[in-house]
Amino acid sequence: MNTAGAQLRVSAARAVHQVLQGRSLKAVLAQERTAFADGRDRALLEAMTVGTIRHRRSLEFALGRFLSKPLAQSEPLSHALLLVGLTQLHLLMLAPHAAVSATVEAARELGKAAHAGLINAVLRRSQREGLPVSDDIGIHENHPDWLLTRLRADWPEAWADIVAANNRVAPLWLRIPGAAQQRDASAAQLQAQGIAHRISEIAPQAIRIDDAIAPTQLPGWLEGRVAVQDLSAQLPAIALAVKAGETVWDMCAAPGGKSAQLLEAAPAMLLLTDNEADRLPKIKELFARLGFAEDAAALQTLDATQPLPESLPQQFDAILLDAPCSATGIIRRQPDVKWHRREKDIGTLNTLQWRLLKNAWRHLRPGGRLLYSTCSVLKAENESLIAQFLQQHADAKALPLDARFGRVSGVGRQRMPGEDDGDGFFYALLERNV
């Protein structure tokens, strides 16, 4: 009896069930992986859980063909365990006997012994027959219908590439703080340790790691010479191009990766804000690891849609608004976004983005720059929103961004998920006329 293997499947089924109930995949995995000390077990748990969520629609379709009546409502844990079982056999290609045996044992561990025979039969049948495939594009492409409709309308030439990228595993990207010499030194250390990597030609501090490795195991991690940050997420700070001595506001700062980039530019004052107090410690933790002084920036919990309190500076030379969004550009990293996000959410997000943008403009000095970015690929949150803002603000003009920032999208630029192995991001650089 493979008790350890069964426990992994138990945790994966619990995680999948919780995500399907609306919980964050990242939060659930963080909770479930604590039961396993071995990095290989943690990696398998993540692969089973993330793979199931990523390909949920096609797995649900196949399961519906194998079952005479659905389990989802009456027995959600057994249903989740079946999905995990199909993922092991048909996506991860694990050894069939061990995978089926451990999954059946997991049913007993979950107190679902009555379903052990059914789970065994379904998984064995799927081995013999393969997974049924649907002609429905939403099921086949593992995206909700509403999102596919939006993507096809916004990006008629690129939507299929976006969907394909969303269904792939994202690589690990690092940012190496400091000048080019630091990145060269880090690359040399990676080379010496046999860690496959690639230096980006787009972001001067970016390195992609090709091997599956925990960031904490990378050379330079403990010394603060390495930070995890996607290629596309490194570009907003580059676009804003903060100069030494400027006053800067990072409006939605947590978890702090972009804030650290801004701080390296030596601004005279850097204000970091977030509307959730429990997110600010993450910024402090990152800054401490990277070697910044505790008072290097001012951290505040506040609602950035409202005017800043008089105790804080009222005018800034540069503002970074990395706005809350649908996260449709980072689905390959967070596949639960596909199932948690609803079309009606876009209008709510638009209202929030508009209020943040208006308040940012209130606090931008004449001649100052504002960089608006999102990790969305939907034009309603990006190109259309900025076009509306420019139409209503005669004192605003767009500044050009070069091809590093992606394809032209209105006055901004859009990077698609998977392009240069980066996430999907939108960027628009605005200047307030004097």
Side-chain angles (χ1 to χ4, degrees):
M1 184 185 302
N2 185 356
T3 305
Q7 286 302 320
L8 276 171
R9 276 74 182 178
V10 166
S11 285
R14 280 199 306 243
V16 167
H17 168 59
Q18 290 179 76
V19 172
L20 297 186
Q21 293 296 110
R23 284 200 65 197
S24 157
L25 173 61
K26 185 184 295 186
V28 167
L29 272 177
Q31 174 185 316
E32 291 291 342
R33 69 164 60 98
T34 58
F36 305 97
D38 192 313
R40 292 167 297 182
D41 288 340
R42 291 184 172 201
L44 180 55
L45 170 62
E46 182 169 344
M48 289 190 292
T49 306
V50 175
T52 301
I53 299 302
R54 193 186 306 278
H55 298 278
R56 172 196 174 188
R57 247 190 124 173
S58 60
L59 293 171
E60 296 271 18
F61 173 81
L63 192 54
R65 294 297 184 270
F66 291 140
L67 294 172
S68 57
K69 60 179 181 179
L71 287 172
Q73 296 298 321
S74 60
E75 294 289 347
L77 271 176
S78 294
H79 174 80
L81 186 58
L82 275 166
L83 294 177
V84 169
L86 294 177
T87 296
Q88 295 172 70
L89 295 174
H90 300 283
L91 299 178
L92 303 181
M93 310 302 287
L94 300 184
H97 176 74
V100 173
S101 174
T103 304
V104 171
E105 182 59 29
R108 299 188 178 97
E109 295 282 343
L110 283 166
K112 305 295 179 183
H115 293 140
L118 172 66
I119 290 171
N120 183 67
V122 168
L123 297 183
R124 296 295 184 194
R125 180 181 172 188
S126 80
Q127 280 183 267
R128 294 192 304 271
E129 300 177 10
L131 288 185
V133 178
S134 171
D135 291 333
D136 184 306
I137 193 167
I139 295 173
H140 181 263
E141 298 290 1
N142 279 289
H143 279 62
D145 291 335
W146 77 265
L147 181 54
L148 284 172
T149 299
R150 287 259 186 162
L151 293 175
R152 294 174 86 170
D154 283 356
W155 305 105
E157 304 298 325
W159 74 269
D161 292 334
I162 295 172
V163 168
N166 287 347
N167 288 332
R168 291 195 291 268
V169 178
L172 173 66
W173 278 99
L174 307 178
R175 188 179 70 83
I176 310 302
Q181 298 91 312
Q182 275 81 3
R183 184 173 72 165
D184 292 343
S186 291
Q189 285 186 302
L190 294 169
Q191 183 73 25
Q193 295 192 19
I195 300 173
H197 62 282
R198 192 194 78 186
I199 291 178
S200 169
E201 296 180 0
I202 294 169
Q205 297 176 319
I207 297 180
R208 188 192 73 190
I209 300 297
D210 298 329
D211 292 338
I213 186 170
T216 53
Q217 302 301 310
L218 291 168
W221 179 267
L222 294 177
E223 298 81 6
R225 298 198 304 270
V226 175
V228 172
Q229 193 173 2
D230 184 79
L231 169 69
S232 298
Q234 296 183 36
L235 296 178
I238 293 173
L240 191 57
V242 170
K243 304 175 185 66
E246 289 189 316
T247 54
V248 183
W249 182 17
D250 185 352
M251 297 180 68
C252 306
K258 302 176 188 70
S259 307
Q261 282 180 274
L262 297 175
L263 197 54
E264 289 172 25
M269 191 273 179
L270 175 60
L271 173 64
L272 310 179
T273 61
D274 202 275
N275 67 339
E276 296 182 30
D278 60 358
R279 289 166 59 88
L280 294 184
K282 297 178 182 178
I283 302 178
K284 294 179 180 178
E285 180 182 326
L286 174 64
F287 279 16
R289 193 176 64 78
L290 295 180
F292 292 117
E294 190 171 336
D295 60 352
L299 276 67
Q300 292 278 333
T301 303
L302 53 78
D303 179 357
T305 66
Q306 299 300 313
L308 289 172
E310 292 184 2
S311 59
L312 293 174
Q314 296 298 300
Q315 295 280 285
F316 293 87
D317 300 305
I319 296 177
L320 173 58
L321 172 51
D322 187 40
C325 69
S326 64
T328 46
I330 58 171
I331 285 173
R332 59 189 194 148
R333 295 191 184 280
Q334 299 179 24
D336 52 325
V337 166
K338 291 188 288 189
W339 317 120
H340 292 167
R341 189 68 66 210
R342 299 288 183 266
E343 186 166 22
K344 64 182 181 181
D345 297 338
I346 307 305
T348 303
L349 286 165
N350 276 163
T351 299
L352 174 59
Q353 291 154 356
W354 184 259
R355 293 178 67 196
L356 287 166
L357 193 52
K358 290 278 287 186
N359 194 43
W361 205 250
R362 177 185 290 115
H363 292 289
L364 185 67
R365 71 162 178 80
R369 310 173 311 287
L370 182 147
L371 192 286
Y372 175 87
S373 65
T374 72
C375 58
S376 169
V377 294
L378 302 182
K379 290 189 176 182
E381 300 178 87
N382 299 334
E383 174 183 325
S384 301
L385 186 80
I386 295 301
Q388 182 182 1
F389 185 82
L390 289 173
Q391 187 177 27
Q392 295 187 19
H393 292 78
D395 61 342
K397 72 173 182 179
L399 300 179
L401 294 169
D402 60 46
R404 287 177 299 169
F405 299 90
R407 65 192 67 195
V408 172
S409 181
V411 299
R413 293 272 185 169
Q414 178 76 56
R415 290 189 66 82
M416 298 303 188
E419 288 182 345
D420 302 300
D421 283 330
D423 289 339
F425 253 80
F426 175 80
Y427 319 89
L429 182 60
L430 306 180
E431 182 180 68
R432 185 167 187 174
N433 296 332
V434 175

